[in-house]
Amino acid sequence: MKTTPDTPVRPRAEQELYIENNYWQQQSLGSLVSVWRTQFSNNVALIEAGTALTYAQFEQRVLAHSAGFQQLGLKTGDHVMIQLPNNLDFVISCFAMFHLGVIPILAMPAQRESDIAALCDLSNPVAYIVPNNYLGHDYIAMAERIVSACPSIEHVLVSGNAPATAPFTPLSQLASTTPVVAPSIDPSSTALMLLSGGTTGTPKLIPRSHNDYHYNAKASAELCQLNQHTTYLAVLPVAHNFPLACPGIIGTLSQGGKVVLCPAPGPDEAFPLIEQHKVTHTALVPALAKLWLEAKQWDDTDISSLQLLQVGGAKFATEQALQVPEVLGCKLQQVFGMAEGLLCFTRLDDPQSEVAHTQGRPLCDLDQIRIVDEQDNPVAQGEVGELQTKGPYTIAGYYKAPAQNQTAFTSDGFYRTGDLVRMNQSGNLIVEGRIKEQINRAGEKISVAEIEQRLLTHPYIDEATLVPVPDAHLGERSCACIISSQPVSLNDVHQLLKEQQIARFKYPDQIISLSFWPLTAVGKINKTALAKRAEEEYIETSINQS
Ligand code: OOB
């Protein structure tokens, strides 16, 4: 990555090691499009609804869009906020930007004004790419408000119909036949920015370089044994690292396979596409995998072409992991990854018990990992500690975040993942919780993971989590959020914890019952939404009681 004060870089010696080992191939992501066209010319590269593009047609579209972007005035180093659903415009626009060294900032369609405005404030994009409407949300109206709050945005480019007035331009009108003057791109410079996957707070920007992201996608594709016969269904929002490059879209394209873009993640949309296109590979978060498992009990769509289902993003319950081969008829791979870099995979030839019980091991032999205690000292083999990492595709720091970087990275450049893990005898990692998932109740610390596990021992509670809620007296109080087969009261929970003889301060102060989880843009349990709901319900209860 370029040495700028805004984007921390790896020391020279480490970069050279990655180049010497051929992990960094010194190619820009944009230049890959013509390499792939030469290798796989008439293979189908991408499918969206009724449209299929071969590798040759994909290259033409990318070049035409690069030329259009260039005529609009976009140039190397510019930032562009892109917030599109899973469609061709997303893939073509991203590669057109990679070609020019323009840096896309990948926002999820589900994100709303407060996140987008904060990210624009941080990154000063010159353009904002949106759909006109998606799942009933009016992005044109949102873009108008964002533009008036963010003076750096000169253009709003729209996938679909757009208003005829500035700053709006439909993406379809942008393609130009004038040849693009492709600048030379430093492959170690930032190619794109991902958003940090936190389930609380405003996301941070994660600068990924051409070199590191290409390695990320290609090595993942090799590990998953993708090839020209692979058909990958992009189900999760494509702005997320997992469906984009682990191996996802970019990894599939790197091997000459076919990518089918799925407009929404539910089984109703995905199963018919699997049947129609004989999809072989896809990736889901646990909440969706559970939904697919349930749906398959009554849905008889033929999904027998599926070979591998990757599940990651949050802990996948062993019980469900064990059901995947039988119910969905394919192999399971657990993926424990992060937009900051490190990817762990169970391997295709791991025994079923490892696949069901662990979250895999690092992708690359140059990934360095250590599991440490609160003083940053290594824990004994098999003990739980925080996972720290650095390696050829893990960032050295967030974009423009010197204060956060001080705490999120160690002095020797390791990323503090905040994840509590242990390593089993075969070297696979098991994620045990998050270090930061701790509730500070009047100074007493409560481990979210501990209480979650205890709540799950109640016969009626199927799923449970614990969230911190701001409290005038305690600082933070704890709220148990549960999905249960029969009603469970706060009293019942206290009784259960009393039987388990745990400290009184760990008893939840509040309980809310749900029938499904509110999810973040990528499908993780949205703890911010739960905490908000807990606050609202608390106020209602106090009013009703007074
Ligand atoms: C993926 O990336 P992010 O950036 O949305 O979230 C990263 C965090 C991790 O630090 C960990 O806390 C959690 O999500 N996580 C898991 C997990 N995979 C991610 N926790 C338990 N088990 C797992 N399998 O979520 C991501 C990026 C690339 C590939 C896959 C997931």
Side-chain angles (χ1 to χ4, degrees):
M1 273 175 262
K2 217 187 300 176
T3 307
T4 68
D6 294 338
T7 304
V9 292
R10 290 258 160 249
R12 191 78 234 150
E14 284 175 21
Q15 296 195 26
E16 276 161 13
L17 183 68
Y18 305 149
I19 295 169
E20 274 161 27
N21 281 273
N22 224 13
Y23 293 146
W24 284 13
Q25 295 196 339
Q26 302 287 64
Q27 280 169 306
S28 77
L29 290 177
S31 68
L32 296 173
V33 178
S34 71
V35 175
W36 296 337
R37 190 254 304 140
T38 325
Q39 290 177 295
F40 316 120
S41 182
N42 291 322
N43 286 10
V44 171
L46 289 154
I47 295 182
E48 179 203 339
T51 312
L53 296 182
T54 62
Y55 278 82
Q57 290 165 329
F58 174 51
E59 184 192 33
Q60 280 166 10
R61 297 275 289 266
V62 168
L63 293 178
H65 273 77
S66 303
F69 285 154
Q70 207 161 45
Q71 278 170 16
L72 219 53
L74 302 193
K75 51 185 193 316
T76 309
D78 281 350
H79 293 164
V80 169
M81 179 72 63
I82 177 167
Q83 189 181 22
L84 289 182
N86 296 9
N87 64 18
L88 285 173
D89 276 339
F90 173 87
V91 185
I92 293 165
S93 301
C94 281
F95 276 92
M97 287 189 257
F98 297 153
H99 201 70
L100 298 175
V102 170
I103 301 169
I105 296 167
L106 306 190
M108 312 272 179
Q111 283 175 307
R112 293 293 175 259
E113 255 163 283
S114 65
D115 270 356
I116 302 291
L119 293 167
C120 286
D121 231 25
L122 186 64
S123 60
N124 297 310
V126 294
Y128 180 27
I129 307 183
V130 286
N132 51 358
N133 192 299
Y134 175 66
L135 300 179
H137 182 68
D138 181 354
Y139 288 82
I140 302 288
M142 181 164 104
E144 270 165 352
R145 294 190 295 269
I146 295 284
V147 166
S148 63
C150 178
S152 65
I153 300 176
E154 291 166 26
H155 308 281
V156 177
L157 307 173
V158 183
S159 175
N161 295 331
T165 49
F168 294 97
T169 309
L171 273 170
S172 57
Q173 267 176 32
L174 201 76
S176 164
T177 47
T178 317
V180 58
V181 190
S184 110
I185 311 289
D186 171 3
S188 64
S189 65
T190 301
L192 71 161
M193 297 220 236
L194 298 172
L195 308 190
S196 64
T199 48
T200 51
T202 307
K204 294 184 280 293
L205 290 173
I206 297 173
R208 302 292 301 259
S209 74
H210 293 269
N211 269 332
D212 94 59
Y213 215 54
H214 182 205
Y215 173 77
N216 188 113
K218 192 159 174 270
S220 302
E222 285 161 4
L223 185 141
C224 295
Q225 296 175 8
L226 303 196
N227 57 42
Q228 293 196 39
H229 306 293
T230 298
T231 301
Y232 178 84
L233 186 68
V235 172
L236 296 172
V238 289
H240 191 265
N241 191 28
F242 193 11
L244 184 59
C246 309
I249 297 176
I250 304 182
T252 304
L253 295 178
S254 76
Q255 306 302 307
K258 191 190 298 174
V259 172
V260 179
L261 296 157
C262 188
D268 290 353
E269 288 78 15
F271 285 5
L273 287 176
I274 297 176
E275 181 173 68
Q276 187 187 349
H277 299 288
K278 307 249 173 309
V279 167
T280 56
H281 292 69
T282 193
L284 298 175
V285 289
L288 276 172
K290 183 164 177 261
L291 198 66
W292 282 33
L293 283 167
E294 283 161 9
K296 195 58 197 128
Q297 315 280 352
W298 47 264
D299 186 316
D300 59 4
T301 313
D302 179 7
I303 61 167
S304 59
S305 57
L306 259 191
Q307 293 168 14
L308 184 70
L309 173 67
Q310 300 181 290
V311 178
K315 183 83 178 255
F316 193 32
T318 306
E319 189 198 332
Q320 285 150 25
L322 286 166
Q323 286 176 31
V324 167
E326 202 178 306
V327 178
L328 299 177
C330 61
K331 262 186 193 255
L332 168 70
Q333 177 183 62
Q334 293 215 38
V335 187
F336 162 43
M338 51 208 74
E340 287 81 358
L342 181 72
L343 300 174
C344 299
F345 297 87
T346 56
R347 302 309 201 252
L348 302 190
D349 56 0
D350 272 349
Q352 206 204 12
S353 61
E354 291 287 325
V355 176
H357 290 96
T358 81
Q359 282 66 57
R361 53 188 181 277
L363 169 65
C364 180
D365 54 6
L366 289 184
D367 279 323
Q368 297 181 53
I369 59 169
R370 57 192 189 203
I371 302 173
V372 300
D373 64 17
E374 280 158 20
Q375 281 74 47
D376 282 351
N377 295 318
V379 297
Q381 162 63 35
E383 294 296 309
V384 176
E386 187 195 12
L387 177 70
Q388 300 186 343
T389 185
K390 75 171 167 181
Y393 57 97
T394 295
I395 56 164
Y398 296 105
Y399 176 73
K400 268 195 188 166
Q404 283 109 325
N405 287 340
Q406 281 288 324
T407 51
F409 293 83
T410 64
S411 54
D412 58 348
F414 279 67
Y415 168 54
R416 297 179 197 270
T417 65
D419 292 317
L420 289 171
V421 304
R422 69 187 161 86
M423 186 185 278
N424 72 6
Q425 293 295 344
S426 18
N428 278 356
L429 298 178
I430 296 152
V431 182
E432 297 285 1
R434 290 226 10 114
I435 210 168
K436 287 156 209 150
E437 276 192 328
Q438 222 180 31
I439 296 177
N440 192 339
R441 186 182 187 274
E444 307 269 25
K445 308 289 187 310
I446 305 167
S447 153
V448 170
E450 180 198 343
I451 304 303
E452 281 174 1
Q453 276 157 22
R454 292 183 184 281
L455 290 170
L456 287 174
T457 62
H458 190 285
Y460 298 159
I461 299 182
D462 295 325
E463 294 181 48
T465 189
L466 193 75
V467 294
V469 187
D471 188 282
H473 303 291
L474 301 165
E476 282 177 343
R477 65 173 181 272
S478 66
C479 176
C481 305
I482 59 162
I483 297 180
S484 60
S485 55
Q486 295 191 40
V488 177
S489 69
L490 190 59
N491 227 342
D492 297 338
V493 166
H494 286 185
Q495 198 52 44
L496 174 86
L497 298 177
K498 197 171 171 192
E499 280 160 21
Q500 299 187 3
Q501 299 184 326
I502 68 158
R504 176 73 184 80
F505 74 84
K506 294 187 184 179
Y507 292 10
D509 299 296
Q510 192 185 348
I511 189 165
I512 54 178
S513 256
L514 302 106
S515 38
F516 56 88
W517 296 120
L519 299 176
T520 65
V522 74
K524 303 188 187 197
I525 296 176
N526 186 339
K527 299 210 167 177
T528 313
L530 286 176
K532 193 159 164 259
R533 175 150 168 199
E535 273 196 280
E536 286 161 5
E537 288 199 8
Y538 203 70
I539 294 167
E540 269 173 40
T541 329
S542 335
I543 292 171
N544 290 343
Q545 279 168 357
S546 61

